[in-house]
Amino acid sequence: MELGLLNKVAVVMGASKGIGYAIAEEFLKEGCKVAITARRESELIQASGELSKLGEVYYKALDATRENPVYDFAKDVSERFGAIHCWVNNVGATGKKAGEEYSQPELDFVVDTCFKSAVYGCQAAFRYMKRQGGGTIVNISSLAARCPSAGRSTLYGPMKAAVVNLTNTMAGEYCAYGIRVLCVMPGFTQTPLVRSNISQEELEYNCKGTLLRRLAEPEEIAKPVVFLASEAASYITATTLEVSGGRSVTLNPSYSYDKKNGAYI
Ligand SMILES: NC(=O)c1ccc[n+]([C@@H]2O[C@H](COP(=O)([O-])OP(=O)(O)OC[C@H]3O[C@@H](n4cnc5c(N)ncnc54)[C@H](OP(=O)(O)O)[C@@H]3O)[C@@H](O)[C@H]2O)c1
């Protein structure tokens, strides 16, 4: 399938590793110029060194929870590459609470990282896309928006649900400018975030409740993101795509039936 991304410019926020890195890699494979960010410059330099083997990469270390650095970065990218065609808001973190209640700093962290970063990203992209008469924004939510992560990362799900609503809201606001806004909702994916936050026991439990019986690889999330951002998805906007290996349907215990053994699994 022709994705129509050759020589386009793609921004991926939070791309020194994990899903964001894989998204940057897929855009480069399609012939895009790519701009990436993360907070830790050393990891960004390493990532950009690897990604540069595939095409032109611009990187800048910044904290996506602060608005001006995000807007300045968009300006840099636009001046350097002449346009911004695709923008992915991938920054997010589980945002745990240490005690029974969220403290103010813990609450600020999860709201800023999961929600405000996406708002700043949408607004930064819009500044340049409206001038050029179009573009695509893809927000990264989480299956936790649909299946609550109660008890530990309690507010991660609500913030990721807000990202889904933000997608539809911005799609309505930006459609007059030829800008599509989309969302991808990943299930558990093999990334540094998951490896450092989720126990092996919990991952195995989750795999048992997933139709495809395994976690996703980062590129399995990245490819749908790049598809949605591409010309091949030109009639899709205000849409959230769940990429979870069939995790949410199994919340109905009789959904998956093994005919061979005559049992629900
Ligand atoms: N992995 C999963 O199972 C899963 C499932 C559902 C949804 N998601 C979502 O998918 C996205 C990516 O997750 P991941 O697992 O790939 O995470 P990850 O491995 O922790 O990678 C996150 C990336 O974002 C950067 N980042 C984090 N906070 C930032 C900030 N404030 N400003 C700028 N950059 C920042 C990180 O670099 P620095 O730390 O150096 O800034 C890193 O490059 C997140 O939105 C996450 O909520 C993940």
Side-chain angles (χ1 to χ4, degrees):
M1 190 192 319
E2 179 52 60
L3 296 187
L5 287 169
L6 189 62
N7 296 324
K8 299 283 194 233
V9 178
V11 170
V12 188
M13 303 298 283
S16 60
K17 57 191 169 194
I19 292 171
Y21 180 93
I23 296 169
E25 198 171 29
E26 293 301 325
F27 274 124
L28 284 161
K29 285 183 190 164
E30 292 300 324
C32 289
K33 293 170 194 157
V34 169
I36 61 171
T37 66
R39 288 164 303 179
R40 273 165 281 208
E41 189 158 38
S42 55
E43 292 186 4
L44 205 47
I45 290 171
Q46 201 181 342
S48 133
E50 280 302 307
L51 291 169
S52 296
K53 294 174 188 166
L54 296 169
E56 197 171 344
V57 178
Y58 172 59
Y59 72 85
K60 192 169 185 187
L62 63 83
D63 183 348
T65 67
R66 295 178 52 233
E67 60 179 337
N68 285 333
V70 177
Y71 299 145
D72 292 346
F73 176 64
K75 186 166 179 283
D76 289 350
V77 176
S78 171
E79 284 172 2
R80 188 181 184 96
F81 290 141
I84 299 176
H85 301 103
C86 312
W87 183 293
V88 180
N89 291 312
N90 172 67
V91 168
T94 44
K96 291 178 185 171
K97 56 179 177 180
E100 195 173 38
E101 298 174 359
Y102 273 88
S103 65
Q104 178 84 52
E106 287 170 337
L107 175 59
D108 288 345
F109 175 81
V110 69
V111 174
D112 291 358
T113 308
C114 292
F115 185 65
K116 285 191 190 169
S117 69
V119 174
Y120 298 147
C122 287
Q123 294 184 158
F126 179 65
R127 289 183 184 190
Y128 299 91
M129 289 176 181
K130 73 178 171 192
R131 288 184 206 162
Q132 70 201 24
T136 52
I137 300 170
V138 184
N139 296 320
I140 306 301
S141 174
S142 166
L143 192 61
R146 204 163 264 169
C147 313
S149 49
R152 186 186 47 202
S153 308
T154 312
L155 294 181
Y156 178 69
M159 283 304 101
K160 288 297 192 178
V163 169
V164 174
N165 193 304
L166 178 75
T167 300
N168 295 344
T169 302
M170 293 313 207
E173 201 158 309
Y174 295 170
C175 64
Y177 302 86
I179 299 166
R180 295 185 293 114
V181 189
L182 301 128
C183 185
V184 166
M185 193 184 263
F188 274 127
T189 306
Q190 299 268 20
T191 69
L193 177 78
V194 158
R195 283 192 285 273
S196 60
N197 283 289
I198 317 286
S199 70
Q200 194 55 33
E201 188 189 8
E202 184 173 349
L203 291 177
E204 281 168 17
Y205 173 79
N206 264 284
C207 287
K208 281 189 195 140
T210 300
L211 288 185
L212 298 185
R213 298 290 188 271
R214 62 178 176 82
L215 305 186
E217 294 299 329
E219 59 268 27
E220 293 179 296
I221 309 300
K223 286 175 199 284
V225 170
V226 170
F227 162 73
L228 288 174
S230 79
E231 283 301 308
S234 56
Y235 200 57
I236 307 177
T237 192
T239 294
T240 294
L241 179 64
E242 180 180 319
V243 187
S244 72
R247 178 69 183 100
S248 63
V249 290
T250 64
L251 297 177
N252 172 352
S254 62
Y255 189 87
S256 164
Y257 184 67
D258 177 357
K259 192 162 184 242
K260 196 169 60 180
N261 296 307
Y264 290 105
I265 53 171

